[in-house]
C-alpha cells in the first residue's frame, strides 16, 4: 500500500493491481494513518479483503469503486465519513460495519451493492439505506466536525 501525507496524517492512496488483500498500517514514519484517499483502490478487481484499523476516520470518494471481488472490510468501525461512490459496484461485499455516527451524504456511496448489510454501531440500516442520504432515514440531523 502506498501512502501520502496530509494535514490530518497519512492517507492510503493506492496498492498493486494484483493484490488480493490489503492491510493498512496504523502509522507511517510515526504519523497516524487516518483515511483512504479518493480513488485509492478503485477498480482493483482482484482485491478480496481490506483490513483497516480503528484510526481510519474517512473513506474517500470512489476509494473501493469497482472492487467487484471485495468480500470483506475489517476494522471499519472507526469510520466517520464515507465519500460518494466509495463502495459502488462492490457486488461481493455482504456486511460493512461502520461507526454509529458515520455519515455518507452521497446517494451513490453503495450503488449496485445489492444484499449489502450496513451496520452503524449495532444498528442495521434498512435495506437500500446506503443508496439514500442519511437524513432520509432520520439519522445524523447535525454533526460537529472535529479534524475530519
Amino acid at each position: 500500500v502506498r501512502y501520502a501525507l496530509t494535514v490530518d496524517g497519512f492517507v492510503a492512496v493506492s496498492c498493486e493491481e494484483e493484490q488480493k488483500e490489503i492491510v493498512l498500517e496504523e502509522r507511517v514514519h510515526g504519523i497516524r494513518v487516518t483515511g483512504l484517499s479518493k480513488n485509492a483502490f478503485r477498480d482493483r478487481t482482484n482485491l478480496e479483503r481490506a483490513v483497516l484499523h480503528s484510526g481510519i476516520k474517512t473513506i474517500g470518494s470512489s476509494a473501493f469503486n469497482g472492487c467487484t471481488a471485495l468480500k470483506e472490510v475489517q476494522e471499519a468501525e472507526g469510520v466517520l465519513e464515507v465519500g460518494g461512490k466509495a463502495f459502488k459496484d462492490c457486488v461481493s461485499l455482504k456486511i460493512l460495519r461502520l461507526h454509529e455516527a458515520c455519515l455518507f451524504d452521497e446517494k451513490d456511496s453503495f450503488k449496485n451493492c445489492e444484499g449489502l448489510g450496513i451496520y452503524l454501531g449495532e444498528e442495521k440500516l434498512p435495506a437500500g439505506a446506503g443508496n439514500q442520504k442519511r437524513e432520509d432515514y432520520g439519522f445524523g440531523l447535525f454533526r460537529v466536525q472535529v479534524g475530519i
Side-chain angles (χ1 to χ4, degrees):
V1 176
R2 289 181 201 71
Y3 298 91
L5 184 59
T6 69
V7 294
D8 293 323
F10 276 95
V11 293
V13 295
S14 67
C15 70
E16 297 300 322
E17 191 144 339
E18 66 279 350
Q19 279 185 259
K20 290 188 175 195
E21 176 179 282
I22 57 164
V23 178
L24 296 185
E25 301 289 332
E26 287 193 38
R27 294 181 179 276
V28 174
H29 302 296
I31 300 172
R32 195 118 173 108
V33 176
T34 59
L36 282 67
S37 73
K38 178 180 179 180
N39 299 317
F41 308 115
R42 185 178 185 153
D43 294 325
R44 297 297 192 264
T45 56
N46 292 324
L47 186 61
E48 296 177 0
R49 182 171 181 251
V51 181
L52 309 183
H53 61 77
S54 62
I56 298 295
K57 302 302 179 200
T58 60
I59 297 177
S61 299
S62 296
F64 291 103
N65 185 347
C67 294
T68 55
L70 185 64
K71 296 176 186 166
E72 185 177 12
V73 177
Q74 291 185 344
E75 298 185 45
E77 292 86 355
V79 173
L80 293 170
E81 189 170 358
V82 175
K85 300 181 184 176
F87 290 93
K88 182 177 180 270
D89 296 327
C90 292
V91 296
S92 300
L93 190 59
K94 298 301 174 203
I95 293 178
L96 183 62
R97 296 185 182 278
L98 302 166
H99 191 280
E100 63 188 11
C102 183
L103 295 175
F104 39 90
D105 295 328
E106 303 292 332
K107 288 192 179 243
D108 54 2
S109 293
F110 303 95
K111 189 172 184 176
N112 301 329
C113 295
E114 305 303 323
L116 173 60
I118 302 170
Y119 290 81
L120 299 181
E122 296 300 316
E123 181 179 4
K124 183 176 183 185
L125 296 184
N131 293 319
Q132 301 294 321
K133 287 190 178 181
R134 194 71 194 283
E135 305 84 62
D136 294 347
Y137 290 94
F139 301 115
L141 299 176
F142 62 90
R143 72 173 167 171
V144 176
Q145 190 166 350
V146 187
I148 296 178

